[in-house]
Amino acid sequence: MRKFALAALCALALGACDNKEKFTVEGSVEGAQDSVLYFEQVSLSGLKTLDSIKLGKDGSFSFRADTTSAPEFYLLRIHDQIINISIDSTETVRVKAQYPNMAARYEVEGSENCQKIRELALLQQELQRKAIELEQNTSIPAGDAQDSLMRMISNYKQKVLDDYIYKEPNKTYSYFALFQTLGRWLIFDPQHNREDMKVFAAVATSWDTFYPGSARSENLHNIVIENMKQQYGSAARQADGGLNIVETGIIDLALADNNQKTQTLSSLTGKVVLLDFHVFALKDSPQRILMLRDLYNKYHERGLEIYQVSLDQDEHFWRQMTMHLPWISVRDAAGESAVKYNVTELPEFFLIDRNSKLQKRSSQMKDLETEIKALL
């Protein structure tokens, strides 16, 4: 009796030590009997094996692991065949694969992110196949082959942007898409391509908003800042009288105001900034402007500034509407700034603290005035 009681107490103690929330990845791999299936975490510091199993005749497996505070990535691997998994909660992801070539022959349930990652992986594999075919076709002149490859990559990137990244940049599948490769090279290359850097910036902004302080958010943020330094740093310092606008913790904007003066978002460091994206042609615009004017009148002397980006196409109309506004009014008819900040509907606004750190977007705020007062 005493032995039973002691065993029960030990079991309770062990259970109390393992009370973290878990996620599950389970399923089967057909045709892989006696193969070892590894379950690995893809951290920013490298791969970490969490578990493994020698598969039986039915190929079934089940892995469980602790959830993390922000989304994370994992692999199912047999030799060089991998299946990418992303986890952002306590979900159960089910995978049914066929070996060999399980990287292309698998289905996944229980996670929209994992389903989208599968789609992206298959698209990437098809691009890789076409690129190899093109390289091996000796009947095509080298210059023509290079042009064809560039068109293929361009078309691929546009599809990924339209169908995945710009639809939901806060999702793990959008993060995954940023780091896809063709051979040894990144398809989206923020170091050498300014447009690709803007894509990274859009995802970084979204992850900063939804997963502030997470390792992957910081990593994206740092990638964008470092590449902005390389691509824009010199010109930015000249344009702004020596101020390196990319040293701040935001994605900077530099747009002309209604007096033809370039206004940079980074120049407002030290103030609490309401970054507002607006279209004056919208029917509710007058009410919104009145609300902003009330906030500005109340809190400007305490350190609030409004940096309002208009996306209006009619410049004359915009000038008329902003002529007497007391805050910074700039215009971006091309909408590039809205893309950087993942603006999908209007009006949209963000709060930036005195250290030029993006704090929240509209969807995260119940009461704008309360949030402003908390930062002042």
Side-chain angles (χ1 to χ4, degrees):
M1 182 71 178
R2 291 175 62 189
K3 288 183 178 179
F4 175 79
L6 181 60
L9 287 172
C10 289
L12 286 171
L14 288 171
C17 292
D18 190 26
N19 59 0
K20 292 183 178 179
E21 292 188 323
K22 305 281 186 179
F23 68 89
T24 302
V25 179
E26 62 185 20
S28 63
V29 184
E30 182 182 328
Q33 183 177 358
D34 296 329
S35 297
V36 177
L37 177 68
Y38 292 92
F39 182 53
E40 300 172 323
Q41 181 177 353
V42 189
S43 70
L44 291 174
S45 58
L47 288 176
K48 177 184 178 182
T49 300
L50 301 180
D51 204 349
S52 63
I53 184 174
K54 187 174 182 179
L55 297 173
K57 186 175 181 179
D58 64 355
S60 64
F61 66 88
S62 182
F63 298 118
R64 297 191 76 212
D66 295 337
T67 59
T68 54
S69 58
E72 193 50 273
F73 294 86
Y74 303 87
L75 297 179
L76 294 171
R77 180 177 64 83
I78 300 178
H79 300 302
D80 62 348
Q81 287 292 300
I82 65 171
I83 294 173
N84 290 283
I85 302 291
S86 75
I87 300 293
D88 62 5
S89 67
T90 57
E91 70 256 52
T92 295
V93 177
R94 296 179 180 86
V95 178
K96 186 175 181 180
Q98 297 179 39
Y99 188 83
N101 197 26
M102 73 175 191
R105 302 173 66 191
Y106 79 94
E107 300 293 334
V108 61
E109 297 178 348
S111 168
E112 181 191 14
N113 275 307
C114 291
Q115 291 169 348
K116 296 291 187 181
I117 286 174
R118 174 184 175 274
E119 292 172 12
L120 285 162
L122 294 178
L123 287 171
Q124 179 190 20
Q125 291 168 30
E126 179 64 10
L127 176 64
Q128 183 78 41
R129 184 189 66 78
K130 290 180 178 179
I132 291 172
E133 283 184 358
L134 189 63
E135 182 182 18
Q136 293 176 345
N137 191 339
T138 57
S139 65
I140 301 177
D144 292 346
Q146 182 67 16
D147 289 343
S148 295
L149 179 61
M150 291 299 101
R151 282 195 299 273
M152 285 166 47
I153 294 173
S154 179
N155 291 338
Y156 180 89
K157 290 166 69 171
Q158 195 59 55
K159 178 176 178 57
V160 171
L161 288 174
D162 293 341
D163 295 349
Y164 299 91
I165 294 177
Y166 284 157
K167 278 191 173 181
E168 293 183 298
N170 62 301
K171 297 292 188 179
T172 54
Y173 65 78
S174 293
Y175 184 105
F176 175 83
L178 291 181
F179 295 96
Q180 287 189 296
T181 60
L182 181 60
R184 295 181 295 113
W185 310 107
L186 280 173
I187 295 173
F188 290 95
D189 182 3
Q191 185 174 2
H192 301 104
N193 187 310
R194 288 191 178 187
E195 294 306 311
D196 290 353
M197 192 269 290
K198 293 176 183 177
V199 177
F200 269 75
V203 179
T205 301
S206 191
W207 276 61
D208 267 345
T209 301
F210 283 88
Y211 311 110
S214 71
R216 292 191 182 275
S217 295
E218 294 294 333
N219 181 53
L220 283 176
H221 183 88
N222 291 337
I223 289 172
V224 172
I225 294 300
E226 287 304 312
N227 284 289
M228 286 179 71
K229 286 180 181 178
Q230 293 179 26
Q231 296 181 27
Y232 294 106
S234 175
R237 282 190 293 270
Q238 293 174 11
D240 202 45
L243 176 65
N244 188 342
I245 64 174
V246 297
E247 292 293 341
T248 63
I250 53 172
I251 298 172
D252 200 21
L253 302 178
L255 297 165
D257 66 13
N258 42 15
N259 294 311
Q260 298 293 332
K261 179 182 178 182
T262 298
Q263 299 280 359
T264 61
L265 191 56
S266 59
S267 67
L268 301 177
T269 300
K271 297 180 181 293
V272 173
V273 180
L274 174 61
L275 172 59
D276 185 66
F277 290 88
H278 189 73
V279 171
F280 285 89
L282 292 176
K283 66 176 183 178
D284 295 331
S285 174
Q287 296 94 312
R288 180 168 179 76
I289 294 302
L290 286 174
M291 182 271 289
L292 292 178
R293 187 181 284 274
D294 182 59
L295 289 173
Y296 187 87
N297 290 342
K298 284 183 179 179
Y299 301 109
H300 178 63
E301 290 187 359
R302 293 175 54 184
L304 173 68
E305 186 55 80
I306 297 176
Y307 188 100
Q308 187 170 55
V309 182
S310 165
L311 304 179
D312 288 273
Q313 296 298 304
D314 188 329
E315 183 176 1
H316 177 73
F317 174 72
W318 167 71
R319 290 190 180 281
Q320 291 295 113
M321 298 303 296
T322 59
M323 185 181 303
H324 301 295
L325 294 180
W327 53 76
I328 297 171
S329 299
V330 297
R331 177 172 167 269
D332 179 14
E336 291 186 2
S337 58
V339 171
K340 290 180 181 180
Y341 277 86
N342 183 34
V343 175
T344 58
E345 59 182 3
L346 295 170
E348 177 64 290
F349 57 90
F350 302 79
L351 274 183
I352 299 167
D353 67 20
R354 293 181 186 272
N355 296 315
S356 285
K357 180 70 174 179
L358 186 67
Q359 290 295 323
K360 294 182 179 181
R361 69 187 302 151
S362 62
S363 59
Q364 297 175 301
M365 292 182 265
K366 292 183 179 180
D367 184 84
L368 175 58
E369 185 169 1
T370 299
E371 298 287 351
I372 289 172
K373 288 193 289 186
L375 292 177
L376 287 172

